[in-house]
Amino acid sequence: PPAMSRRVVRQSKFRHVFGQPVKADQMYEDIRVSKVTCDSSFCAVNPKFVAIIVESGGGGAFIVLPLAKTGRVDKNHPLVTGHTAPVLDIDWCPHNDNVIASASEDTTVMVWQIPDYVPVRNITEPVVTLEGHSKRVSIISWHPTARNVLLSAGCDNLVILWNVGTGEMLLALDDMHTDLIYNVGWNRNGSLLVTTCKDKKVRVIDPRKQQVIAEKTKPHDGTRPIRAIFVADGKIFTTGFSRMSERQLGLWDLNNFEEPIALQEMDTSNGVLLPFYDADSSIVYLCGKGDSSIRYFEITDEAPYVHYLNTYSSKEPQRGMGFMPKRGLDVSKCEIARFFKLHERKCEPIVMTVPRKSDLFQDDLYPDTPGPEPALEADEWLSGKDAEPILISLRDGYVPVKNRELKVVKKNILDS
């Protein structure tokens, strides 16, 4: 007899996640979003601030707005303006909500202290400037668990790890990438990196041993850029293009990089898909630059492993996207993700919610999540220690702490 064809609907609390833009008065209006052609997300958010790379005559600038300061942005609102050429990437420190790093076409990385109050004039003096790249720096990413460890990657095909607390270069990963680096991502405890490169390889790197421990050539056959991130259990999720220029997603196991666990075609749009991953729900959100939608998938241990959940669609294309860390979400509204979608002249928050009837804290939606305390000091990490993120409960919501100064203590060159 023929097999039963009735599909059993997969059980998942995330099957009904839906996205909604905020009301018009909760957007940030009149922002001149940067027009630099670069596949970075142009926006970084945390529980206190939204930062956006903006147009700036001659130099490079970004704007920082307190999260609550919605509506029209005053045209004289101060900017962060220390770079001498366009800013290409920005990233908030995961362990200090008042510290942000910026990477620029001027070959430098700068780290900034942002006050809790809105300053009167532009912020022009970084806490520290990190010089070591010979070409523009397009990627920046803080270590998830070690204090003051910052990664930068430039068009010199070089990845550098810095100790921001001393201004020193900790490690330089050269001779690993033969061409332009597209993206770099940490695993959950910051012991490994995954990178994608124009030479069509995905590499998994142990930065402290300065070794490539696994690599995959052409996870996607097409020629356009690939992206890769770590997801749960050390698996790797990639986005790229097929030979027929269809956008694809892939899921890979490090221990068996030959065959994908999953490989799915999506559509024929040509925008690079930026993946955002929430480890607490195992959901990957895909936002294409120039797309007007966000697609999201749940990753599980059961075939087909990457399960399509839904698509949030709108009329306007996105120029960039910010992704709020879990501790910045409103748990009373069952929010499980919040995006900050950049348009040409505004930033529009989009809230992803799991519908629930009860007003009680939904502990199945909110496992303990990484908090703002680092688990290691920079030198402990460098010496070989690993530590998982220090977790906090969101049961009573998260209240950001007051501004803490980033102290940079430069070592005396004469001592060494």
Side-chain angles (χ1 to χ4, degrees):
M4 280 174 61
S5 61
R6 188 172 70 82
R7 283 195 53 203
V8 178
V9 174
R10 190 176 69 90
Q11 282 300 311
S12 166
K13 58 192 162 212
F14 301 115
R15 274 191 28 234
H16 303 293
V17 169
F18 70 100
Q20 255 186 328
V22 296
K23 295 189 177 63
D25 62 354
Q26 290 170 355
M27 299 184 197
Y28 306 86
E29 308 259 7
D30 271 358
I31 297 166
R32 293 168 49 215
V33 175
S34 170
K35 293 187 172 66
V36 175
T37 50
C38 174
D39 283 324
S40 101
S41 60
F42 282 28
C43 180
V45 294
N46 71 21
K48 284 186 171 186
F49 300 106
V50 51
I52 298 165
I53 303 176
V54 292
E55 288 277 85
S56 74
F62 57 99
I63 191 168
V64 177
L65 302 167
L67 217 52
K69 208 164 170 52
T70 54
R72 181 148 289 151
V73 175
D74 182 339
K75 66 177 190 300
N76 297 318
H77 191 285
L79 304 176
V80 182
T81 58
H83 286 287
T84 57
V87 175
L88 302 178
D89 198 13
I90 48 177
D91 195 30
W92 287 105
C93 174
H95 308 127
N96 187 331
D97 286 340
N98 293 78
V99 170
I100 188 168
S102 56
S104 166
E105 218 161 280
D106 68 13
T107 77
T108 70
V109 170
M110 292 181 175
V111 180
W112 308 87
Q113 181 94 32
I114 306 295
D116 283 333
Y117 57 88
V118 175
V120 182
R121 49 184 70 84
N122 287 352
I123 299 179
T124 57
E125 292 295 316
V127 182
V128 65
T129 300
L130 305 171
E131 298 178 84
H133 287 284
S134 58
K135 293 194 174 153
R136 63 192 181 132
V137 190
S138 53
I139 295 167
I140 195 148
S141 180
W142 292 90
H143 190 286
T145 64
R147 189 194 313 270
N148 289 343
V149 175
L150 178 64
L151 173 151
S152 60
C155 297
D156 48 10
N157 310 340
L158 184 62
V159 176
I160 299 179
L161 293 161
W162 307 91
N163 179 347
V164 170
T166 61
E168 292 176 292
M169 196 185 291
L170 294 176
L171 297 162
L173 307 178
D174 46 10
D175 303 336
M176 285 192 186
H177 299 90
T178 62
D179 208 333
L180 182 70
I181 299 167
Y182 287 140
N183 90 295
V184 181
W186 294 99
N187 67 348
R188 186 169 168 89
N189 71 1
S191 57
L192 296 175
L193 297 171
V194 62
T195 68
T196 56
C197 180
K198 198 172 178 177
D199 64 13
K200 301 193 173 51
K201 287 187 179 177
V202 173
R203 293 170 173 84
V204 177
I205 296 169
D206 180 328
R208 290 166 299 193
K209 292 203 174 100
Q210 307 201 17
Q211 279 174 355
V212 176
I213 61 166
E215 65 179 20
K216 171 73 184 164
T217 303
K218 292 184 99 167
H220 303 277
D221 288 328
T223 52
R224 289 187 50 72
I226 303 169
R227 291 260 157 174
I229 55 172
F230 275 103
V231 292
D233 308 325
K235 293 190 181 66
I236 285 171
F237 181 92
T238 58
T239 64
F241 295 80
S242 71
R243 201 173 277 128
M244 306 301 294
S245 304
E246 290 168 303
R247 291 201 288 197
Q248 288 181 323
L249 56 82
L251 186 65
W252 309 83
D253 183 347
L254 269 191
N255 305 315
N256 177 17
F257 229 158
E258 283 315 294
E259 289 302 308
I261 301 170
L263 191 64
Q264 299 177 15
E265 250 87 52
M266 284 189 299
D267 59 16
T268 51
S269 173
N270 64 2
V272 174
L273 285 166
L274 306 179
F276 295 92
Y277 175 63
D278 171 28
D280 299 342
S281 60
S282 293
I283 296 177
V284 170
Y285 300 86
L286 300 182
C287 307
K289 253 192 154 173
D291 288 12
S292 48
S293 62
I294 301 172
R295 266 172 248 220
Y296 41 107
F297 299 81
E298 186 179 357
I299 298 177
T300 73
D301 295 336
E302 292 164 39
Y305 307 107
V306 180
H307 309 266
Y308 172 74
L309 289 171
N310 213 333
T311 300
Y312 164 81
S313 297
S314 65
K315 295 191 174 59
E316 297 281 321
Q318 53 231 14
R319 297 277 295 272
M321 200 63 92
F323 185 55
M324 178 65 78
K326 210 51 175 275
R327 60 195 170 87
L329 302 181
D330 185 345
V331 299
S332 69
K333 296 199 173 79
C334 297
E335 218 181 293
I336 62 159
R338 194 187 315 160
F339 289 93
F340 287 70
K341 171 179 168 176
L342 301 186
H343 301 246
E344 265 176 55
R345 302 276 316 190
K346 71 176 179 192
C347 171
E348 172 189 37
I350 294 163
V351 178
M352 299 283 177
T353 310
V354 178
R356 290 282 163 99
K357 293 199 169 61
S358 159
D359 288 336
L360 298 173
F361 178 70
Q362 305 291 308
D363 51 14
D364 65 317
L365 296 183
Y366 300 109
D368 288 357
T369 197
E373 283 306 309
L376 289 171
E377 297 301 329
D379 48 2
E380 292 180 292
W381 178 76
L382 188 63
S383 72
K385 268 195 183 161
D386 287 319
E388 295 302 311
I390 295 176
L391 305 183
I392 57 171
S393 167
L394 296 179
R395 181 172 293 277
D396 303 311
Y398 169 77
V399 180
V401 294
K402 276 223 157 5
N403 188 355
R404 292 184 306 197
E405 284 292 316
L406 167 64
K407 296 254 191 302
V408 177
V409 183
K410 296 234 168 140
K411 298 221 168 124
N412 185 341
I413 299 164
L414 301 175
D415 290 347
S416 54

